[in-house]
Amino acid sequence: MSELSTKDIKFLSGVGPKKAELLKKEIDVSSFEDMIYYFPYKYIDRSKVYKISEINSTSSYIQLKGRILSMTEIGEKRKQRLSAKFTDGNDVIELIWFKGIKFIVDKYKINEEYIIFGKPSVFNGKINIAHPDIETIDEATSRQTLGGLQGLYNTTERMKNGFLNSKAIHKIVFNIFTHIGNTTIPETLPSHILQEYNLLNLKDSLINIHFPKNNELLKRAQYRLKLEELFYIQLNILRTTRIKNLRYKGFIFENIGHYFNTFYKECLPFELTDAHKRVIKEIRIDVRSGKQMNRLLQGDVGSGKTLVALMVMLIALDNDFQACIMAPTEILANQHYESISGLLSELGVSVALLTGSTKKSERAMLHENLANGELKILIGTHALLEDQVVFKNLGMVIIDEQHRFGVAQRARLWKKNIQPPHVLVMTATPIPRTLAMTLYGDLDVSVIDQLPPGRKPIQTIHRLDNKRVGVYDFIKKEIALGRQIYFVYPLIQESEKSDYQNIENGFERLKEIFPQESYKISMVHGKMKPSEKDEQMQAFASGKTQILVATTVIEVGVNVPNASVMVIESAERFGLSQLHQLRGRVGRGCDQSYCILITSPKLSNESKQRMNIMVNSNDGFEISEADLKMRGPGDLEGTQQSGIPFNLKIANLATDGQILQQARDIATKILEEDSNLDSEKNFVLNKQLNQLAKGKINWGAIS
Ligand code: ADP
Ligand code: MG
């Protein structure tokens, strides 16, 4: 990169060692270059001067022109404030300071004309402006030559205490550009891309991102910088995938034979949906191609992913390979084992279960049969990853609810054969396209976008805590119809730290409302022994108990088609994806199902919004898009382990989907023409990728 990256920020006039240290510690800025890549998070329009009479309690940042009439210090020592009366000639507004009082009193003069800038707030029914920014008319005029839009920078409390507020950062960046003057900043995109997509050059983009001349130039600067940021991520992912595909051959599954065909003709419990058929076809093409398959199967809860997994494993078996499924919880592994060994009972395929609770004696047998190839399908939890688990010839790995596993864990399954097996990862937490493209950029994606026939959409209802009696009456009616009920709690025990409902008290309360003579209740939570959990789960699954109280251990995968009501206690405690997952435990049979979200009446706006989304949508993709918009990608499940830098500098995966698509298209096109990026015109790309790989960004290898 340019020499700006080697210039230490502490040598910039107005910075010095103390501030430099703060910048390093707080925002990881140490060079001139780091600083100019620290972008404003928003812009305020300072071209307009307001009148005091125009201000109301909802006003955002505003600018006034006028004079200070008086300044008064109020209050005792430690609670001292400075209050000033400011007039624009017609009206008067209060300005107020809680800190730096002496400085203000010394610096600003009564009756001199100033431009003040700040955010009005309401205190005791009156509007004031706290800690306004004050400029002399001269200062304001010189700043305005930079344009009417002023960038605001994120700063930390420590930075503010060290005289590095947003305005100070603005000034520092300005000084860097003064220092740069007319020298160019070397381009980081090749000229053919700049031309083809009509992008602003780097220097103008950087200048306008900090000091926008006007709105249009700001837009162009943002566009160029976002596109570039996303483009390099895509280029890196797509190039790595190409290299990996060259290095690893995939097993070729040519046969569709005895197992698959017999199952399809004789054992299928129901008609496959069109979506099932399409997805199986996509996978068949993959496993015949000679490439190692790395495919993500997305399908909303209840869409029938297990069946697809099973049929895909049978293809492996038809080609003399073994297959395995790894699930994130013991409950889920058990359930897969039950349903798959049930479906395969006629077919004479050997299936085994391996979890933390598998006995030692059983393990020895299992290891032996796995190594000699007699055992064809292994189902289990993380226990599958252990070194002692050695396959004779593993050809297909299925990972269920993949967002629960880290990249490293998935990679370990790869190593269970000399040549990596095909990998199908399944998720019921639909990942918005933009995120999938970044997170799993090297995975092909299949989608089951259709629910099995006969399903009725789940009705979702939001009830406040104090209306819960009605809920119990409703549940009694459902139980009388022969249905079963889930109650989910966020906590196991009462906690001093939160008011959320807990399973212990909940269980006691439910026992009173649903007395033992007429109702049976199961309970599962994470602190129980696996054997106990299993027993309780079994009782519910077999219909011996009508109510299951649980923590989120039942969030993923559990399948009891007769259950028709999901009650979620303290629903405000859960994120959207989690709520959707929990809700997916019902609606698996043909009965009308219900999800009842119980919350406290005191809800934040965000929680209200979440409840509304749940009440109004059953569509997992819609919900995950909304989740992404509300929370940002860094908080979504699965992103933390991804190794992808989600602290993007400027692009936003929630809102920049189109730019991302374009970035990917450009990267694809370039790699098609020049897969090694060694042509003259792509020189910059190679250089830039190597720089990024060396730099702070951790391009985790994803698989
Ligand atoms: P998920 O995609 O959430 O893992 P499952 O594989 O557990 O879903 O399937 C949910 C339920 O739907 C199961 O009870 C399964 O037997 C049933 N099912 C799957 N496919 C079909 C189909 N084509 N027709 C009818 N029922 C189906
Ligand atoms: Mg499942």
Side-chain angles (χ1 to χ4, degrees), residues 106-155:
D106 289 348
K107 178 153 184 198
Y108 300 106
K109 303 192 178 66
I110 308 288
N111 256 330
E112 189 126 328
E113 191 159 53
Y114 293 115
I115 299 281
I116 69 152
F117 175 77
K119 193 172 182 326
S121 52
V122 183
F123 186 73
N124 276 345
K126 276 171 65 184
I127 294 179
N128 66 28
I129 300 179
H131 289 254
D133 194 29
I134 302 184
E135 287 175 331
T136 62
I137 300 296
D138 283 352
E139 281 169 334
T141 319
S142 74
R143 182 180 43 71
Q144 267 165 14
T145 57
L146 296 172
L149 291 166
Q150 189 185 334
L152 289 188
Y153 297 83
N154 274 318
T155 55

Side-chain angles (χ1 to χ4, degrees), residues 244-416:
K244 206 156 71 186
N245 285 344
L246 288 178
R247 187 175 327 144
Y248 299 113
K249 294 254 171 321
F251 295 124
I252 298 182
F253 294 175
E254 266 178 342
N255 307 326
I256 295 296
H258 165 74
Y259 290 124
F260 187 93
N261 286 329
T262 317
F263 180 81
Y264 189 75
K265 284 187 204 125
E266 288 163 29
C267 314
L268 251 192
F270 27 62
E271 281 269 314
L272 294 180
T273 63
D274 289 342
H276 289 145
K277 287 183 195 160
R278 189 189 66 241
V279 166
I280 292 173
K281 205 161 160 193
E282 284 166 358
I283 294 169
R284 273 180 61 180
I285 293 171
D286 272 8
V287 297
R288 265 199 313 238
S289 72
K291 264 181 20 184
Q292 182 233 4
M293 176 175 81
N294 241 321
R295 188 170 277 277
L296 174 68
L297 175 59
Q298 297 197 20
D300 212 342
V301 281
S303 61
K305 293 184 293 294
T306 315
L307 192 64
V308 172
L310 170 58
M311 296 184 69
V312 167
M313 291 197 290
L314 293 178
I315 301 179
L317 266 54
D318 275 335
N319 291 273
D320 287 330
F321 285 92
Q322 294 162 298
C324 70
I325 297 193
M326 181 165 77
T329 65
E330 211 156 296
I331 291 181
L332 204 52
N334 275 325
Q335 190 179 284
H336 279 321
Y337 176 71
E338 295 291 328
S339 65
I340 287 177
S341 49
L343 287 165
L344 292 180
S345 59
E346 309 262 301
L347 211 58
V349 173
S350 53
V351 186
L353 175 70
L354 176 65
T355 68
S357 338
T358 308
K359 292 203 188 69
K360 245 192 164 167
S361 52
E362 280 174 57
R363 272 173 200 249
M365 265 289 271
L366 194 148
H367 288 160
E368 196 183 315
N369 287 335
L370 207 56
N372 67 26
E374 257 168 52
L375 183 56
K376 300 286 188 225
I377 293 181
L378 182 61
I379 297 172
T381 53
H382 301 79
L384 298 193
L385 299 174
E386 289 163 12
D387 289 337
Q388 305 92 294
V389 179
V390 180
F391 292 81
K392 179 169 183 229
N393 199 8
L394 179 65
M396 174 66 70
V397 167
I398 313 242
I399 301 174
D400 196 15
E401 306 300 345
Q402 61 73 35
H403 60 282
R404 293 301 184 93
F405 296 100
V407 177
Q409 288 173 316
R410 283 189 265 147
R412 280 178 73 176
L413 277 174
W414 268 55
K415 306 212 173 89
K416 294 273 174 187

